[in-house]
């Protein structure tokens, strides 16, 4: 059973995007041997007789087992036999000093001082440090990949949801696939953070292993593990839905997208429950240990592994079938050879991330068989491709899609047109306001004049404005005298006098 070392390394890599991570055989064997060495040391300390005088107490300092030692002496024990390179240093010893006060001598950091130079591996880096460095680099790589994918997937979901013209069955399937990728990234990053809370960030050597709170991974961590397994399974199911949709669209005549969409939803979000729930029950009943991150009995893990591998291979068969259909359609168009190759290569490359075809490369290399360099190569490529797959899919099927780009351009043009109209409307409104203010000012200047007594304020007499009274129709009226030219007088117009009423006719 693995404890501090392997659990820390397991956390560092956080499993293969939802699948359990197993370490190299040397690290696993080292941990198991270390545990047996510790148990043997504890039994020895219990069996040895108690001291009768002042001594440095027997102890296990996470590296070697020490017996009672007299003050002002140096204790030496053989190199621990749990070290993988023990055959090289089996004749060496570990040294430790006992002070005059009956306490083991400590270094400047307060840790027990010891000299284990005789037990170091010759021309070989300690496995703990080498494993930890490699796994830390891989963890950093996939954390960046999932973070970038999450941002891109959320942006793609917003774009496809906002534009009404993009709402179709094909884009609805893409949106569900994007959502499954986003949930997968969130679940893995969240689980990473929850596991990190249970470990000291300064665990970098064997002395600090005992301080890791191994028993604190309780209900919350197991719930996060379960949700992570569901999200990973849902992601593979939606990859399968994409393959089935493309196959039916290209290969079946009279295919109805609307009638098949409820079945796609059921397969994408409902199918993972069928194998995640049995896995949870089995783990709770038969392997309810820590955070369910390790698989001591690999048979239980096949409950989840089998459906995922089945989805991968079905998608691979669909991929081959789609490529054959595309080849036949491109050949039927009688295209030029260069265009034909370009179209085929473009279609193939865009289908690989959409259907998850890269999973086939290492699908047959299971964790029990992988070891050494092959294991690290498997981890790196799988985590790299899986973590950046969401980013690649969102870019190919949303951001560089011509339909999406045309809708974005149309929306941008409408926004610019609306802004320009609002600007022109504001300018015309300000012009009207300035014209009104100017016209009201001119009227006030024209109506101002000398005020006469007996008349209302603001009203000048008609004579002041050059008006003269004249009788017209029995009522007084006012007219403006205009000097007329000679040709314009009554002589010039013979009927001018008849045009005006005479005093006799007004009665």
């Amino acid at each position: 059973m693995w404890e501090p070392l392997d659990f820390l390394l397991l956390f560092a890599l956080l499993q293969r995007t939802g699948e359990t991570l197993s370490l190299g055989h040397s690290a696993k064997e080292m941990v198991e041997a270390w545990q047996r060495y510790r148990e043997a040391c504890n039994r020895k300390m219990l069996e040895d007789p108690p001291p009768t005088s002042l001594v440095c107490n027997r102890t296990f300092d996470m590296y070697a087992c020490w017996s009672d030692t007299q003050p002002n002496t140096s204790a030496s024990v053989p190199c621990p036999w749990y070290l993988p390179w023990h055959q090289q240093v089996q004749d060496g010893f570990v040294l430790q000093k006992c002070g005059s006060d009956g306490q083991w001598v400590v270094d400047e950091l307060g840790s027990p001082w010891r000299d284990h130079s005789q037990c170091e591996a010759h021309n070989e880096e300690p496995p703990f440090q080498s494993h930890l460095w490699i796994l830390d680099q891989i963890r950093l790589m996939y954390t960046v990949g999932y973070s970038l994918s999450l941002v891109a997937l959320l942006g793609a979901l917003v774009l496809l949801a906002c534009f009404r013209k993009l709402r179709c069955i094909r884009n609805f399937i893409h949106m569900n696939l994007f959502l499954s990728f986003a949930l997968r990234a969130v679940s893995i990053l969240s689980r990473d953070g929850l596991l990190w809370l249970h470990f000291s960030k300064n665990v970098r050597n064997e002395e600090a292993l005992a301080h890791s709170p191994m028993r604190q991974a309780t209900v919350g961590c197991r719930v996060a593990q379960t949700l992570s397994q569901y999200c990973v399974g849902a992601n593979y199911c939606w990859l399968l839905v994409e393959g089935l949709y493309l196959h039916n669209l290209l290969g079946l005549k009279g295919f109805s997208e609307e009638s098949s969409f409820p079945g796609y939803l059921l397969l994408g979000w409902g199918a993972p429950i069928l194998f995640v729930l049995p896995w949870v029950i089995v783990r709770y009943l038969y392997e309810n240990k820590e955070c369910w991150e390790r698989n001591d009995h690999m048979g239980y893990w096949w409950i989840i592994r089998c459906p995922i591998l089945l989805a991968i291979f079905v998608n691979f068969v669909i991929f081959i079938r789609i490529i054959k259909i595309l080849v036949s359609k491109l050949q039927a168009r009688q295209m030029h050879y260069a265009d034909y190759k370009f179209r085929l290569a473009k279609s193939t490359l865009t289908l690989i991330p959409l259907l998850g075809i890269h999973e086939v490369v290492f699908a047959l290399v299971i964790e029990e068989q992988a070891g050494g360099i092959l294991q690290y190569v498997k981890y790196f490529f799988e985590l790299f491709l899986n973590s950046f797959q969401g980013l690649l899919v969102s870019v190919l099927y949303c951001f560089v899609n011509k339909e999406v780009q045309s809708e974005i351009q149309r929306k941008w043009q409408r926004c610019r047109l609306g802004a320009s109209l609002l600007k022109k409307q504001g300018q015309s409104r300000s012009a009207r306001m300035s014209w009104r203010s100017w016209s009201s000012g001119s009227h006030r200047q024209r109506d101002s004049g000398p005020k006469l007594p007996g008349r209302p304020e603001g009203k000048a007499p008609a004579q002041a404005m050059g008006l003269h009274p004249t009788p017209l129709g029995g009522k007084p009226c006012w007219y403006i005298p205009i000097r007329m030219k000679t040709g314009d007088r009554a002589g010039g117009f013979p009927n001018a006098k008849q045009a005006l009423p005479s005093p006799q006719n007004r009665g």
Side-chain angles (χ1 to χ4, degrees):
M1 175 180 174
W2 298 15
E3 277 201 20
L5 176 62
D6 61 295
F7 194 58
L8 173 64
L9 294 177
L10 174 68
F11 151 72
L13 189 54
L14 197 61
Q15 305 160 343
R16 171 171 84 80
T17 61
E19 298 185 16
T20 300
L21 170 70
S22 61
L23 301 175
H25 296 294
S26 59
K28 179 179 178 180
E29 293 173 357
M30 178 181 176
V31 173
E32 294 176 348
W34 178 83
Q35 293 173 350
R36 293 194 300 269
Y37 182 88
R38 182 186 60 179
E39 294 173 358
C41 180
N42 291 333
R43 287 194 301 268
K44 181 178 181 300
M45 289 189 294
L46 292 175
E47 295 172 356
D48 288 347
T52 58
S53 60
L54 179 65
V55 294
C56 291
N57 294 329
R58 65 197 73 173
T59 183
F60 175 62
D61 63 351
M62 308 306 296
Y63 185 82
C65 186
W66 303 94
S67 301
D68 296 332
T69 305
Q70 297 295 325
N72 295 322
T73 59
S74 295
S76 62
V77 294
C79 293
W81 46 260
Y82 65 82
L83 297 175
W85 55 90
H86 181 258
Q87 293 182 353
Q88 302 177 10
V89 296
Q90 57 185 351
D91 297 331
F93 291 90
V94 188
L95 304 177
Q96 191 168 202
K97 295 180 180 180
C98 180
S100 59
D101 56 351
Q103 299 292 330
W104 295 104
V105 177
V106 297
D107 56 15
E108 59 275 6
L109 299 178
S111 301
W113 177 90
R114 67 168 179 264
D115 180 10
H116 55 273
S117 58
Q118 301 180 27
C119 300
E120 293 180 353
H122 302 302
N123 300 324
E124 184 177 344
E125 186 180 5
F128 182 91
Q129 298 295 337
S130 60
H131 283 305
L132 189 61
W133 183 85
I134 295 174
L135 297 179
D136 279 341
Q137 301 306 311
I138 297 178
R139 181 184 62 84
L140 178 62
M141 178 268 298
Y142 81 75
T143 301
V144 173
Y146 279 122
S147 301
L148 294 177
S149 296
L150 181 60
V151 174
L153 290 166
L154 293 178
L157 283 171
V158 171
L159 287 177
L160 293 180
C162 289
F163 297 117
R164 185 173 300 177
K165 292 185 178 181
L166 297 177
R167 296 176 184 175
C168 60
I169 300 298
R170 172 173 53 85
N171 286 335
F172 286 157
I173 295 177
H174 288 342
M175 291 174 65
N176 282 276
L177 178 65
F178 294 164
L179 182 60
S180 68
F181 273 116
L183 291 177
R184 178 176 182 170
V186 170
S187 65
I188 290 177
L189 294 177
S190 300
R191 186 181 59 182
D192 197 340
L194 287 175
L195 288 175
W196 185 255
L197 294 177
H198 296 287
F199 295 91
S200 173
K201 296 182 179 180
N202 297 321
V203 176
R204 289 295 181 269
N205 50 50
E206 294 85 354
E207 287 83 353
L209 289 176
H211 302 288
S212 298
M214 299 303 301
R215 303 304 177 187
Q216 297 179 5
T218 54
V219 178
C221 186
R222 293 170 184 172
V223 170
Q225 179 79 355
T226 302
L227 293 178
S228 175
Q229 298 295 346
Y230 172 79
C231 294
V232 172
N235 183 231
Y236 281 104
C237 288
W238 276 107
L239 290 173
L240 178 61
V241 168
E242 287 281 359
L244 293 174
Y245 172 77
L246 287 177
H247 180 268
N248 296 336
L249 190 65
L250 295 175
L252 298 181
K253 295 182 180 180
F255 171 66
S256 177
E257 300 181 2
E258 290 78 8
S259 61
S260 302
F261 186 67
Y264 292 151
L265 288 176
L266 186 62
L267 175 61
W269 299 115
I273 301 177
L274 300 179
F275 53 86
V276 173
L277 186 59
W279 175 79
V280 172
I281 296 174
V282 170
R283 289 302 300 258
Y284 180 77
L285 294 177
Y286 302 105
E287 200 176 359
N288 192 21
K289 300 176 182 178
E290 296 169 356
C291 197
W292 296 355
E293 82 291 342
R294 295 197 319 269
N295 293 310
D296 295 334
H297 301 282
M298 295 303 297
Y300 302 152
W301 177 237
W302 279 97
I303 299 175
I304 288 182
R305 181 186 293 179
C306 280
I308 290 179
L309 290 177
L310 179 62
I312 292 173
F313 284 113
V314 170
N315 253 5
F316 181 72
V317 174
I318 292 175
F319 173 75
I320 300 299
R321 174 65 177 166
I322 291 175
I323 293 299
K324 291 181 178 180
I325 295 174
L326 291 176
V327 169
S328 62
K329 289 183 179 293
L330 292 176
Q331 288 177 346
R333 294 183 180 181
Q334 297 180 355
M335 302 175 62
H336 293 291
Y337 185 68
D339 297 337
Y340 168 77
K341 288 197 305 181
F342 176 75
R343 287 282 188 88
L344 184 60
K346 182 180 178 181
S347 302
T348 304
L349 292 177
T350 54
L351 284 176
I352 287 176
L354 182 65
L355 304 180
I357 304 303
H358 61 276
E359 295 278 356
V360 181
V361 178
F362 290 101
L364 297 178
V365 183
I366 60 178
E367 284 79 2
E368 297 88 336
Q369 296 176 349
I373 300 300
L374 178 61
Q375 185 183 43
Y376 291 122
V377 172
K378 172 184 171 67
Y379 291 155
F380 175 79
F381 279 103
E382 285 189 343
L383 285 170
F384 177 81
L385 295 174
N386 289 338
S387 61
F388 286 93
Q389 185 181 2
L391 174 63
L392 186 59
V393 169
S394 61
V395 169
L396 290 177
Y397 292 93
C398 181
F399 296 114
V400 299
N401 185 274
K402 293 183 179 180
E403 296 179 1
V404 178
Q405 291 180 349
S406 62
E407 287 298 320
I408 293 176
Q409 293 177 356
R410 187 179 295 109
K411 187 68 175 179
W412 175 248
Q413 292 174 358
R414 289 179 180 177
C415 292
R416 293 184 60 184
L417 180 60
S420 62
L421 290 177
L422 289 176
K423 184 177 180 181
K424 291 181 181 179
Q425 191 176 14
Q427 292 176 352
S428 61
R429 186 178 303 168
S430 62
R432 286 198 302 270
M433 295 297 294
S434 61
W435 170 257
R436 289 178 182 175
S437 61
W438 177 82
S439 60
S440 61
S442 63
H443 281 301
R444 284 195 296 270
Q445 293 177 0
R446 188 173 63 246
D447 293 342
S448 62
K451 297 181 181 179
L452 299 178
R455 293 189 179 273
E457 183 179 356
K459 292 184 179 181
Q463 290 87 349
M465 294 185 294
L467 301 178
H468 297 274
T470 181
L472 182 62
K475 298 180 181 180
C477 63
W478 302 88
Y479 72 95
I480 302 175
I482 300 176
R483 184 179 299 275
M484 302 179 61
K485 295 182 181 179
T486 306
D488 294 339
R489 295 182 183 272
F493 298 94
N495 299 325
K497 292 183 178 182
Q498 289 82 359
L500 295 174
S502 61
Q504 294 80 6
N505 296 331
R506 283 199 302 268

